[in-house]
Amino acid sequence: MPGSHLPLMEEGMARWPFGPPNAGIALDFTGVPPALDELRALVGDRWKALPRLTQTLVAPGGPRTGLAWWTGRHRWARRDGHDLGRQVDEADGTLRDAVRLWFHTPFPADRPPWSLHLLRGAAEGEFSLLFRMHHSLLDGRSLTTLLRALFDDGGPLDGAASLAVPGPRRRTVRPAPAAGGPPGLLTAGRAVPLPHRGAREPAYTVVRLRSDVLRAAREAASARTATTNEVFLATVAGVLRSCLSAAEAAPPVSAASAAVSDGGRTGDGDRTGDGDRTGDGDRARAKARERGREPGQVWLSVPVDERPDDCGEFLGNAFANVRVPAPVTLSDPAARLTACTGLLTPVTRPRRASEKLFESTLAAVPGATMALAGGKIFAPAYAPAACSYVHLREQGQTLAGRPLRRLTIVPMVPPADTATFALGGCTQGHTLSVATNSGSQDAELLAEAFLDELTLLADRTP
């Protein structure tokens, strides 16, 4: 609610140590771009009743030392009567240009921390809408709710529904039986060495996925047609496996980086018949088992929407990051897909009293919580990769008659030496965004590896 302190998840993002906690979604359309005044009028009409979009973020007062830093909390302040049209502008440049500039620049303290940008397309007859936000303000589900309202079949959003905070019943995922169930809150796993190519700085890239390859990959599961999300997780697991195999096959860092930068292939470019890039990784793991040093589990961090069905239009942050096992020890891509089947099966259950007490206790001393837990939860061994999937499933979405052709996600800057894989989908196809914080070339290298792994999985179709 406006004027209240941020809950624990939002407070943690407000204190994000790797850069401004900005994220967003870009929608690409075909057609002549609308006039800026037309877009502002549409935003004013469809979003006018949403208090969340008129709030500013107020940081804790006083210096960031002493008791105030340990107990101080951010809060929301109301700005009644704020003109939403002021948050909409027009800019030249590509999505990559916008990410390089806006997503590494904090929002002004005196304005609500979001903006909608009209971008010219790369070709004539194309344009994009880029919604940028401070992640403490909104989550991915909130973004799709807002953007759907702008489409021709949408309408003004309901202010009361946008404030309907999910109650005692929350959606979550069924605990994964693999690896002995879900990990403990601070349980570490195994880090995965990323390529570390180029300057040590955040990097971001986008690639399009071929619809026929994605369709074939879904058919590679043994029991049933896999979901796109399951294919997504299995493919990311394949990318991480290639990173591990390269590092184990070539102990020197430079050699390992070179192997991964070449798409996970061995020096002569060959692949083994079972779909693994190199058998050396398997031999190294076998030797580790013989010595009693079996590597730990590799975990993927996945945001899960916690909204029950009656709170679907709530605007804010109502998600939890869960960790699921990445089957990096399986050499066959189809076997990895089978291992990922059912990992994100949703269930709705009452929120436990212990969970509420634990969260409120940690939120009371956010500085101490971040200091104590940050070294664990931001470490590569906690979750070397995060996987986020946003999909607009409705057919024929248009904005003032201009058809939607693509959805692209821009995630926050990830923790150091980790990667974020973000899949954006609509009826016209899917795009993969990769963000890293390990090397200026790493995002492109991992995106190429993802396309390669997806093709390998599609080739396993019975």
Side-chain angles (χ1 to χ4, degrees), residues 25-370:
I25 288 181
L27 299 180
D28 296 340
F29 296 89
T30 301
V32 178
L36 187 58
D37 288 344
E38 179 185 359
L39 182 58
R40 285 172 172 165
L42 181 63
V43 166
D45 175 62
R46 303 290 175 85
W47 298 351
K48 61 185 176 183
L50 306 177
R52 188 81 176 179
L53 298 185
T54 65
Q55 297 177 147
T56 58
L57 185 62
V58 180
R64 297 195 167 197
T65 56
L67 184 62
W69 172 240
W70 296 107
T71 61
R73 296 169 63 181
H74 291 73
R75 62 182 178 85
W76 296 114
R78 300 187 66 125
R79 292 200 63 182
D80 295 331
H82 179 74
D83 180 10
L84 298 183
R86 293 179 57 195
Q87 309 290 118
V88 182
D89 64 22
E90 187 175 17
D92 293 324
T94 65
L95 174 63
R96 189 183 297 271
D97 295 331
V99 171
R100 187 182 303 114
L101 174 63
W102 297 322
F103 285 86
H104 299 281
T105 304
F107 283 96
D110 60 343
R111 295 181 59 182
W114 66 271
S115 54
L116 183 66
H117 307 284
L118 177 61
L119 302 179
R120 301 293 175 178
E124 190 73 21
E126 298 177 354
F127 69 94
S128 300
L129 290 185
L130 172 62
F131 190 103
R132 182 174 71 117
M133 65 178 185
H134 188 295
H135 211 328
S136 292
L137 182 73
L138 301 166
D139 60 11
R141 175 68 179 274
S142 299
L143 274 185
T144 57
T145 297
L146 287 172
L147 295 173
R148 280 189 177 98
L150 298 181
F151 292 146
D152 292 341
D153 59 354
L157 293 174
D158 181 77
S162 73
L163 296 173
V165 179
R169 293 182 60 78
R170 298 290 180 90
R171 292 178 75 255
T172 183
V173 295
R174 184 176 300 146
L185 179 63
L186 298 179
T187 299
R190 185 183 184 190
V192 174
L194 299 183
H196 297 296
R197 296 293 298 274
R200 298 275 299 193
E201 62 186 22
Y204 172 76
T205 195
V206 177
V207 295
R208 296 190 65 178
L209 306 187
R210 285 177 47 185
S211 297
D212 58 331
V213 174
L214 182 57
R215 191 181 309 113
R218 293 184 59 194
E219 300 294 332
S222 58
R224 59 166 173 79
T225 299
T227 67
T228 300
N229 215 359
E230 291 166 348
V231 169
F232 180 34
L233 296 180
T235 306
V236 171
V239 173
L240 299 184
R241 175 182 169 83
S242 72
C243 292
L244 289 167
S245 295
E248 292 169 342
V253 174
S254 58
S257 299
V260 176
S261 69
D262 192 32
R265 296 175 176 80
T266 56
D268 59 5
D270 292 335
R271 298 182 189 174
T272 57
D274 67 354
D276 193 10
R277 300 298 199 286
T278 170
D280 292 339
D282 289 328
R283 288 192 289 271
R285 279 185 289 274
K287 291 180 180 179
R289 283 193 295 269
E290 292 173 1
R291 293 192 297 266
R293 293 192 289 107
E294 175 69 18
Q297 177 67 59
V298 173
W299 298 104
L300 299 176
S301 177
V302 183
V304 175
D305 180 27
E306 291 192 308
R307 294 166 177 79
D309 292 339
D310 57 349
C311 294
E313 293 187 12
F314 167 72
L315 298 183
N317 283 279
F319 73 96
N321 284 317
V322 301
R323 287 190 293 165
V324 298
V328 297
T329 60
L330 301 177
S331 62
D332 180 46
R336 291 196 292 269
L337 179 57
T338 299
C340 289
T341 301
L343 285 183
L344 298 178
T345 303
V347 295
T348 302
R349 62 167 176 81
R351 199 170 179 221
R352 301 184 183 96
S354 59
E355 293 173 327
K356 298 178 185 178
L357 177 62
F358 181 69
E359 181 174 327
S360 61
T361 301
L362 295 182
V365 284
T369 298
M370 292 293 290

Side-chain angles (χ1 to χ4, degrees), residues 334-423:
R336 291 196 292 269
L337 179 57
T338 299
C340 289
T341 301
L343 285 183
L344 298 178
T345 303
V347 295
T348 302
R349 62 167 176 81
R351 199 170 179 221
R352 301 184 183 96
S354 59
E355 293 173 327
K356 298 178 185 178
L357 177 62
F358 181 69
E359 181 174 327
S360 61
T361 301
L362 295 182
V365 284
T369 298
M370 292 293 290
L372 294 174
K376 284 276 191 180
I377 63 177
F378 296 143
Y382 189 80
C387 299
S388 180
Y389 180 34
V390 175
H391 192 189
L392 295 176
R393 293 177 171 82
E394 296 85 354
Q395 295 279 348
Q397 294 285 21
T398 58
L399 177 77
R402 290 90 162 175
L404 174 68
R405 63 187 181 92
R406 192 176 303 133
L407 181 155
T408 302
I409 303 173
V410 184
M412 292 195 304
V413 174
D417 299 324
T418 72
T420 296
F421 296 82
L423 188 63

